[in-house]
Structures are given as structure tokens and as C-alpha cells.
Amino acid sequence: MFDTLWITHVLPVWLLQRLGALSLVAVGLLVEKHYVGRTTTFANTVAINIHAAFAAAPLWLVRYANIGLIVGLIALASYASRESLPGWFYLISLVYSSAVVGLLILVT
């Protein structure tokens, strides 16, 4: 009963392959309307980097992922040290919101 994933029996393969990215889009649209947290920024930049590493990523996506990794590491370090970041940093974080990253994973 617990030796296989139930979801693999319910959803078609094409949907299972996109479920992670679709989940990011859903979370982004429902939760991150005005603000993207620092830990979320880090997780999203890791997600786009992993996608770019294993996909035939175009140069613009590689650059977006590389910049994002720097942004994500700054966000994580700031969170760990409990230091606030300037307001403009949170505007940059919107570019790495779950919805944006999820859509980019879906289309590339």
C-alpha cells in the first residue's frame, strides 16, 4: 500500500513532470502578491539554478539564475544573521518570486 506514490496513479505523467513548477506558480499567485520573503527568495533561486543546470537553458536564463543565486545567498545570510535589508532588495526579490520562477521553469 505504501510502496508506491499514490499521486503517480492519479495524475498523468505530463502533469506530474510539471507539478513542481505549477505549485510554485500557485504559491506565488496566492501568497506573494506584495512581498517575497528572504527564505523564499533563496529557495526560488536554487530552484531556477537547478532547472537551468539540467535543461538546455538559454543564455538569458543562465544569467538570471546566476544573478538570482547571489540575491538568494544575500537573502539567506541576512535571514540567518537577523539583519534587515534595504527596501530596494525586496523589490529585486519580486523578480525571483515563486510565480515568476515557476513560469520560467514551465516555459524553458
Side-chain angles (χ1 to χ4, degrees), residues 23-95:
S23 297
L24 285 174
V25 172
V27 166
L29 293 176
L30 294 172
V31 178
E32 301 168 3
K33 294 177 184 172
H34 306 289
Y35 172 79
V36 180
R38 293 173 288 179
T39 55
T40 303
T41 300
F42 173 73
N44 290 343
T45 61
V46 169
I48 197 67
N49 271 271
I50 291 170
H51 172 71
F54 292 99
L59 182 57
W60 65 266
L61 185 66
V62 171
R63 289 180 177 164
Y64 172 82
N66 284 335
I67 293 168
L69 190 57
I70 295 166
V71 170
L73 290 171
I74 291 169
L76 187 65
S78 166
Y79 184 81
S81 67
R82 297 184 178 173
E83 293 291 324
S84 294
L85 290 167
W88 56 264
F89 186 87
Y90 295 98
L91 291 175
I92 293 171
S93 291
L94 288 173
V95 178

Coordinates of all heavy atoms in Angstrom, one line a residue, residues 23-95:
S23 N 3.1 24.3 -8.9 CA 3.0 24.6 -7.4 C 3.6 25.9 -7.1 O 3.1 26.7 -6.3 CB 3.6 23.5 -6.6 OG 2.9 22.2 -6.8
L24 N 4.8 26.2 -7.7 CA 5.4 27.5 -7.5 C 4.6 28.6 -8.0 O 4.4 29.6 -7.3 CB 6.8 27.5 -8.2 CG 7.9 26.7 -7.5 CD1 9.2 26.7 -8.4 CD2 8.2 27.3 -6.2
V25 N 4.0 28.4 -9.1 CA 3.1 29.5 -9.7 C 1.9 29.7 -8.8 O 1.6 30.8 -8.5 CB 2.6 29.1 -11.1 CG1 1.6 30.1 -11.6 CG2 3.8 29.0 -12.1
A26 N 1.3 28.6 -8.3 CA 0.1 28.8 -7.4 C 0.5 29.5 -6.1 O -0.2 30.4 -5.7 CB -0.5 27.4 -7.1
V27 N 1.6 29.1 -5.5 CA 2.0 29.7 -4.3 C 2.3 31.2 -4.5 O 1.9 32.1 -3.8 CB 3.2 29.0 -3.7 CG1 3.9 29.8 -2.6 CG2 2.8 27.7 -3.1
G28 N 3.0 31.5 -5.6 CA 3.4 32.9 -5.9 C 2.1 33.7 -6.1 O 2.1 34.9 -5.6
L29 N 1.1 33.2 -6.8 CA -0.1 34.0 -7.1 C -0.9 34.2 -5.9 O -1.6 35.2 -5.7 CB -0.9 33.3 -8.2 CG -0.2 33.4 -9.6 CD1 -1.1 32.6 -10.6 CD2 0.0 34.8 -10.1
L30 N -0.9 33.1 -5.0 CA -1.8 33.2 -3.8 C -1.2 33.9 -2.6 O -1.9 34.6 -1.9 CB -2.2 31.8 -3.4 CG -3.1 31.0 -4.4 CD1 -3.3 29.6 -4.0 CD2 -4.5 31.7 -4.5
V31 N 0.1 33.8 -2.5 CA 0.8 34.2 -1.2 C 1.7 35.4 -1.4 O 1.7 36.3 -0.6 CB 1.6 33.1 -0.6 CG1 2.3 33.5 0.6 CG2 0.7 31.9 -0.3
E32 N 2.4 35.5 -2.6 CA 3.4 36.5 -2.7 C 3.0 37.7 -3.6 O 3.7 38.1 -4.5 CB 4.7 35.9 -3.3 CG 5.2 34.7 -2.5 CD 6.3 33.9 -3.2 OE1 6.6 34.3 -4.4 OE2 6.7 32.9 -2.7
K33 N 1.8 38.2 -3.3 CA 1.3 39.3 -4.1 C 2.1 40.6 -4.0 O 2.3 41.4 -4.9 CB -0.2 39.5 -3.8 CG -1.0 38.4 -4.2 CD -2.5 38.6 -3.8 CE -3.3 37.4 -4.1 NZ -4.6 37.4 -3.6
H34 N 2.5 40.9 -2.7 CA 3.2 42.2 -2.5 C 4.6 42.0 -1.8 O 5.3 43.0 -1.7 CB 2.3 43.0 -1.5 CG 0.9 43.2 -2.0 ND1 0.7 44.0 -3.1 CD2 -0.2 42.7 -1.6 CE1 -0.6 44.0 -3.3 NE2 -1.2 43.2 -2.4
Y35 N 4.9 40.8 -1.4 CA 6.2 40.6 -0.7 C 6.7 39.2 -0.9 O 5.9 38.2 -0.8 CB 5.9 40.9 0.8 CG 7.0 40.5 1.7 CD1 8.1 41.4 1.9 CD2 7.0 39.3 2.5 CE1 9.1 41.1 2.8 CE2 8.0 39.0 3.3 CZ 9.1 39.9 3.5 OH 10.1 39.6 4.3
V36 N 8.0 39.1 -1.1 CA 8.6 37.8 -1.2 C 9.7 37.7 -0.1 O 10.6 38.5 0.0 CB 9.3 37.6 -2.6 CG1 10.0 36.2 -2.6 CG2 8.3 37.7 -3.7
G37 N 9.5 36.7 0.8 CA 10.4 36.6 1.9 C 11.8 36.2 1.5 O 12.0 35.7 0.4
R38 N 12.7 36.4 2.4 CA 14.1 36.1 2.1 C 14.4 34.6 2.0 O 15.1 34.2 1.1 CB 15.0 36.7 3.2 CG 15.0 38.2 3.2 CD 15.8 38.8 4.4 NE 15.0 38.5 5.6 CZ 15.3 38.9 6.8 NH1 16.5 39.5 7.0 NH2 14.6 38.7 7.9
T39 N 13.8 33.8 2.8 CA 14.0 32.3 2.6 C 13.3 31.8 1.3 O 13.9 30.9 0.7 CB 13.4 31.5 3.8 OG1 12.1 31.9 4.0 CG2 14.2 31.8 5.1
T40 N 12.2 32.4 1.0 CA 11.5 32.0 -0.3 C 12.4 32.5 -1.5 O 12.5 31.7 -2.5 CB 10.2 32.7 -0.4 OG1 9.4 32.3 0.8 CG2 9.4 32.3 -1.6
T41 N 13.0 33.6 -1.4 CA 13.9 34.1 -2.4 C 15.0 33.1 -2.6 O 15.4 32.8 -3.8 CB 14.4 35.5 -2.1 OG1 13.3 36.4 -2.0 CG2 15.4 36.0 -3.2
F42 N 15.6 32.7 -1.5 CA 16.7 31.7 -1.6 C 16.2 30.4 -2.3 O 16.9 29.9 -3.2 CB 17.3 31.4 -0.2 CG 18.3 30.3 -0.2 CD1 19.6 30.5 -0.8 CD2 18.0 29.1 0.3 CE1 20.5 29.5 -0.8 CE2 18.9 28.1 0.3 CZ 20.2 28.3 -0.3
A43 N 15.1 29.9 -1.8 CA 14.6 28.6 -2.3 C 14.3 28.7 -3.8 O 14.6 27.8 -4.6 CB 13.4 28.2 -1.6
N44 N 13.7 29.8 -4.2 CA 13.4 30.0 -5.6 C 14.6 30.2 -6.5 O 14.6 29.6 -7.6 CB 12.5 31.2 -5.8 CG 11.1 31.0 -5.3 OD1 10.7 29.9 -5.0 ND2 10.4 32.1 -5.0
T45 N 15.6 30.8 -6.0 CA 16.9 31.0 -6.8 C 17.6 29.6 -6.9 O 18.2 29.4 -8.0 CB 17.8 32.1 -6.2 OG1 18.2 31.7 -4.9 CG2 17.1 33.4 -6.3
V46 N 17.5 28.8 -5.9 CA 18.1 27.5 -6.0 C 17.3 26.7 -7.0 O 17.8 26.0 -7.9 CB 18.1 26.8 -4.6 CG1 18.4 25.3 -4.8 CG2 19.1 27.5 -3.7
A47 N 15.9 26.8 -7.0 CA 15.1 26.0 -8.0 C 15.4 26.4 -9.4 O 15.5 25.5 -10.3 CB 13.6 26.3 -7.7
I48 N 15.6 27.7 -9.7 CA 15.9 28.1 -11.1 C 17.3 27.7 -11.5 O 17.5 27.3 -12.6 CB 15.6 29.6 -11.3 CG1 15.5 29.9 -12.8 CG2 16.6 30.5 -10.6 CD1 14.3 29.3 -13.5
N49 N 18.2 27.7 -10.5 CA 19.5 27.2 -10.9 C 19.6 25.7 -11.2 O 20.3 25.3 -12.1 CB 20.5 27.6 -9.7 CG 21.1 28.9 -9.9 OD1 22.2 29.1 -10.5 ND2 20.5 29.9 -9.4
I50 N 18.8 25.0 -10.4 CA 18.8 23.5 -10.7 C 18.1 23.3 -12.0 O 18.6 22.4 -12.8 CB 18.0 22.8 -9.5 CG1 18.9 22.8 -8.3 CG2 17.7 21.3 -9.9 CD1 18.2 22.3 -7.0
H51 N 17.1 24.0 -12.3 CA 16.4 23.8 -13.6 C 17.4 24.2 -14.7 O 17.5 23.5 -15.7 CB 15.2 24.7 -13.7 CG 14.6 24.7 -15.0 ND1 13.9 23.7 -15.6 CD2 14.5 25.7 -16.0 CE1 13.5 24.0 -16.8 NE2 13.9 25.2 -17.1
A52 N 18.1 25.3 -14.6 CA 19.0 25.8 -15.7 C 20.2 24.8 -15.8 O 20.7 24.6 -16.9 CB 19.5 27.2 -15.3
A53 N 20.6 24.1 -14.7 CA 21.7 23.2 -14.8 C 21.3 22.0 -15.6 O 22.2 21.4 -16.3 CB 22.1 22.8 -13.4
F54 N 20.1 21.5 -15.6 CA 19.7 20.3 -16.2 C 18.8 20.5 -17.5 O 18.5 19.5 -18.2 CB 18.9 19.4 -15.2 CG 19.8 18.9 -14.1 CD1 19.9 19.5 -12.9 CD2 20.7 17.9 -14.4 CE1 20.7 19.1 -11.9 CE2 21.6 17.4 -13.4 CZ 21.6 18.0 -12.1
A55 N 18.5 21.7 -17.8 CA 17.7 22.0 -19.0 C 18.7 22.6 -20.0 O 19.8 23.1 -19.7 CB 16.6 23.0 -18.7
A56 N 18.3 22.7 -21.3 CA 19.1 23.4 -22.3 C 18.7 24.8 -22.2 O 18.0 25.4 -22.9 CB 18.7 22.8 -23.7
A57 N 19.3 25.5 -21.1 CA 18.9 26.8 -20.8 C 19.5 27.9 -21.7 O 20.7 27.8 -22.0 CB 19.3 27.1 -19.3
P58 N 18.7 28.8 -22.2 CA 19.2 29.9 -23.0 C 20.1 30.8 -22.1 O 20.0 30.8 -20.9 CB 18.0 30.6 -23.5 CG 16.9 30.2 -22.5 CD 17.2 28.9 -22.0
L59 N 21.0 31.6 -22.7 CA 21.9 32.4 -22.0 C 21.2 33.4 -21.1 O 21.7 33.6 -19.9 CB 22.8 33.2 -23.0 CG 23.9 34.1 -22.4 CD1 24.8 33.3 -21.5 CD2 24.6 34.8 -23.5
W60 N 20.1 34.0 -21.5 CA 19.4 34.9 -20.6 C 18.9 34.2 -19.3 O 19.0 34.8 -18.2 CB 18.2 35.6 -21.3 CG 17.1 34.7 -21.7 CD1 17.0 34.0 -22.9 CD2 16.0 34.3 -20.9 NE1 15.8 33.3 -22.9 CE2 15.2 33.4 -21.7 CE3 15.6 34.5 -19.6 CZ2 14.1 32.8 -21.2 CZ3 14.5 33.9 -19.1 CH2 13.7 33.1 -19.9
L61 N 18.5 32.9 -19.4 CA 18.1 32.2 -18.2 C 19.3 31.9 -17.3 O 19.2 32.0 -16.1 CB 17.3 31.0 -18.6 CG 16.7 30.2 -17.4 CD1 15.7 31.0 -16.7 CD2 16.2 28.9 -17.8
V62 N 20.4 31.6 -17.9 CA 21.6 31.3 -17.1 C 22.0 32.6 -16.4 O 22.4 32.5 -15.2 CB 22.8 30.8 -18.1 CG1 24.1 30.8 -17.3 CG2 22.4 29.5 -18.7
R63 N 22.0 33.7 -17.0 CA 22.3 35.0 -16.4 C 21.3 35.3 -15.2 O 21.7 35.7 -14.2 CB 22.4 36.1 -17.4 CG 23.6 36.0 -18.3 CD 23.7 37.1 -19.3 NE 24.9 36.9 -20.1 CZ 25.1 37.5 -21.2 NH1 24.2 38.3 -21.8 NH2 26.2 37.3 -21.9
Y64 N 20.1 35.1 -15.5 CA 19.0 35.3 -14.5 C 19.3 34.4 -13.3 O 19.2 34.9 -12.1 CB 17.6 35.0 -15.1 CG 16.5 35.0 -14.2 CD1 15.9 36.2 -13.8 CD2 16.0 33.8 -13.7 CE1 14.8 36.2 -12.9 CE2 14.9 33.8 -12.9 CZ 14.3 35.0 -12.5 OH 13.2 34.9 -11.6
A65 N 19.6 33.2 -13.5 CA 19.9 32.2 -12.5 C 21.1 32.6 -11.7 O 21.1 32.5 -10.4 CB 20.0 30.8 -13.0
N66 N 22.2 33.0 -12.4 CA 23.4 33.4 -11.7 C 23.2 34.6 -10.8 O 23.7 34.6 -9.7 CB 24.5 33.6 -12.7 CG 25.1 32.4 -13.3 OD1 25.1 31.3 -12.7 ND2 25.7 32.5 -14.5
I67 N 22.6 35.6 -11.3 CA 22.3 36.8 -10.5 C 21.4 36.4 -9.3 O 21.6 36.8 -8.2 CB 21.6 37.9 -11.4 CG1 22.6 38.4 -12.4 CG2 21.1 39.0 -10.5 CD1 22.0 39.3 -13.5
G68 N 20.4 35.5 -9.6 CA 19.5 35.1 -8.6 C 20.2 34.4 -7.5 O 19.8 34.5 -6.3
L69 N 21.2 33.6 -7.8 CA 21.9 32.9 -6.7 C 22.6 33.8 -5.8 O 22.6 33.6 -4.6 CB 22.9 31.9 -7.3 CG 23.5 30.9 -6.4 CD1 22.5 30.1 -5.6 CD2 24.5 30.0 -7.1
I70 N 23.1 34.9 -6.3 CA 23.8 35.9 -5.5 C 22.7 36.6 -4.6 O 22.9 36.7 -3.4 CB 24.5 36.9 -6.3 CG1 25.7 36.3 -7.1 CG2 25.0 38.1 -5.5 CD1 26.3 37.1 -8.2
V71 N 21.6 36.9 -5.2 CA 20.5 37.5 -4.5 C 20.0 36.6 -3.4 O 19.7 37.0 -2.2 CB 19.3 37.9 -5.4 CG1 18.0 38.3 -4.7 CG2 19.7 39.0 -6.4
G72 N 19.8 35.3 -3.7 CA 19.4 34.3 -2.8 C 20.3 34.1 -1.6 O 19.9 34.0 -0.5
L73 N 21.6 34.1 -1.9 CA 22.6 33.9 -0.8 C 22.6 35.1 0.1 O 22.7 35.0 1.3 CB 24.0 33.6 -1.4 CG 24.1 32.3 -2.1 CD1 25.4 32.2 -2.8 CD2 24.0 31.1 -1.1
I74 N 22.5 36.3 -0.5 CA 22.4 37.5 0.4 C 21.1 37.4 1.3 O 21.2 37.7 2.5 CB 22.4 38.8 -0.5 CG1 23.8 39.0 -1.1 CG2 22.0 40.0 0.3 CD1 23.8 40.0 -2.2
A75 N 20.0 37.0 0.7 CA 18.8 36.9 1.4 C 18.9 35.9 2.6 O 18.5 36.2 3.7 CB 17.6 36.5 0.5
L76 N 19.5 34.8 2.3 CA 19.7 33.7 3.3 C 20.6 34.2 4.4 O 20.3 34.0 5.6 CB 20.2 32.4 2.7 CG 20.2 31.2 3.6 CD1 18.8 30.8 4.1 CD2 20.9 30.1 2.9
A77 N 21.7 34.8 4.0 CA 22.7 35.3 5.0 C 22.0 36.4 5.9 O 22.2 36.4 7.1 CB 23.9 35.9 4.4
S78 N 21.2 37.2 5.3 CA 20.5 38.3 6.0 C 19.5 37.7 7.0 O 19.4 38.1 8.2 CB 19.8 39.2 5.1 OG 18.9 40.0 5.7
Y79 N 18.8 36.7 6.6 CA 17.8 36.0 7.4 C 18.5 35.3 8.6 O 18.1 35.4 9.7 CB 17.0 35.0 6.6 CG 15.9 34.3 7.4 CD1 14.7 35.0 7.6 CD2 16.1 33.1 8.0 CE1 13.7 34.4 8.3 CE2 15.1 32.5 8.7 CZ 13.9 33.1 8.9 OH 12.9 32.6 9.6
A80 N 19.6 34.6 8.3 CA 20.4 33.9 9.3 C 21.0 34.8 10.4 O 21.0 34.5 11.6 CB 21.5 33.0 8.7
S81 N 21.4 36.0 9.9 CA 22.0 36.9 10.9 C 21.0 37.9 11.5 O 21.3 38.7 12.3 CB 23.1 37.8 10.1 OG 22.5 38.6 9.2
R82 N 19.7 37.8 11.1 CA 18.6 38.6 11.6 C 18.9 40.1 11.3 O 18.4 40.9 12.0 CB 18.4 38.3 13.0 CG 18.0 36.9 13.3 CD 17.6 36.7 14.7 NE 17.2 35.3 14.9 CZ 16.9 34.8 16.0 NH1 17.1 35.4 17.1 NH2 16.5 33.5 16.1
E83 N 19.5 40.3 10.2 CA 19.8 41.7 9.7 C 18.7 42.1 8.7 O 18.5 41.3 7.8 CB 21.2 41.9 9.1 CG 22.3 41.7 10.2 CD 22.3 42.8 11.2 OE1 22.1 44.0 10.8 OE2 22.7 42.6 12.3
S84 N 18.2 43.3 8.8 CA 17.3 43.7 7.7 C 18.0 44.1 6.5 O 19.2 44.5 6.5 CB 16.5 44.9 8.3 OG 15.6 44.5 9.3
L85 N 17.3 44.1 5.4 CA 17.9 44.5 4.1 C 17.1 45.8 3.7 O 16.0 46.0 4.1 CB 17.7 43.4 3.1 CG 18.6 42.2 3.3 CD1 18.2 41.0 2.4 CD2 20.1 42.6 3.0
P86 N 17.7 46.6 2.8 CA 17.0 47.8 2.4 C 15.8 47.4 1.5 O 15.7 46.3 0.9 CB 18.1 48.5 1.5 CG 19.2 47.6 1.3 CD 19.1 46.5 2.3
G87 N 14.9 48.4 1.4 CA 13.6 48.1 0.7 C 13.8 47.8 -0.7 O 13.0 46.9 -1.2
W88 N 14.8 48.3 -1.4 CA 15.0 48.0 -2.8 C 15.4 46.5 -3.0 O 15.1 46.0 -4.0 CB 16.1 48.9 -3.4 CG 17.4 48.9 -2.8 CD1 17.9 49.8 -1.8 CD2 18.5 47.9 -2.9 NE1 19.1 49.4 -1.4 CE2 19.5 48.3 -2.1 CE3 18.6 46.8 -3.7 CZ2 20.7 47.6 -2.0 CZ3 19.8 46.1 -3.7 CH2 20.8 46.5 -2.8
F89 N 15.9 45.9 -2.0 CA 16.3 44.5 -2.1 C 15.0 43.6 -2.3 O 15.0 42.7 -3.0 CB 17.1 44.0 -0.9 CG 17.6 42.6 -1.1 CD1 18.7 42.3 -1.7 CD2 16.8 41.5 -0.6 CE1 19.2 41.0 -1.9 CE2 17.2 40.2 -0.8 CZ 18.4 39.9 -1.4
Y90 N 14.0 44.0 -1.5 CA 12.7 43.3 -1.6 C 12.0 43.5 -2.9 O 11.3 42.6 -3.4 CB 11.8 43.6 -0.4 CG 12.4 43.2 0.9 CD1 13.1 44.1 1.7 CD2 12.3 41.9 1.3 CE1 13.7 43.7 2.9 CE2 12.9 41.5 2.5 CZ 13.6 42.4 3.2 OH 14.2 41.9 4.4
L91 N 12.3 44.6 -3.6 CA 11.8 44.8 -4.9 C 12.5 43.9 -5.9 O 11.8 43.3 -6.8 CB 11.9 46.3 -5.4 CG 11.1 47.3 -4.7 CD1 11.4 48.7 -5.1 CD2 9.6 47.0 -4.9
I92 N 13.8 43.7 -5.7 CA 14.5 42.7 -6.6 C 14.0 41.3 -6.3 O 13.9 40.5 -7.2 CB 16.0 42.8 -6.3 CG1 16.6 44.2 -6.7 CG2 16.8 41.7 -6.9 CD1 18.0 44.4 -6.3
S93 N 13.7 41.0 -5.1 CA 13.2 39.7 -4.7 C 11.9 39.4 -5.5 O 11.6 38.2 -5.7 CB 12.9 39.6 -3.2 OG 14.2 39.6 -2.5
L94 N 11.1 40.4 -5.8 CA 9.9 40.1 -6.6 C 10.1 39.5 -7.9 O 9.3 38.7 -8.4 CB 9.1 41.4 -6.7 CG 8.4 42.0 -5.5 CD1 7.8 43.4 -5.8 CD2 7.3 41.1 -5.0
V95 N 11.3 39.8 -8.5 CA 11.7 39.2 -9.8 C 12.0 37.7 -9.6 O 12.0 37.0 -10.6 CB 12.9 40.0 -10.3 CG1 13.4 39.3 -11.6 CG2 12.6 41.4 -10.5

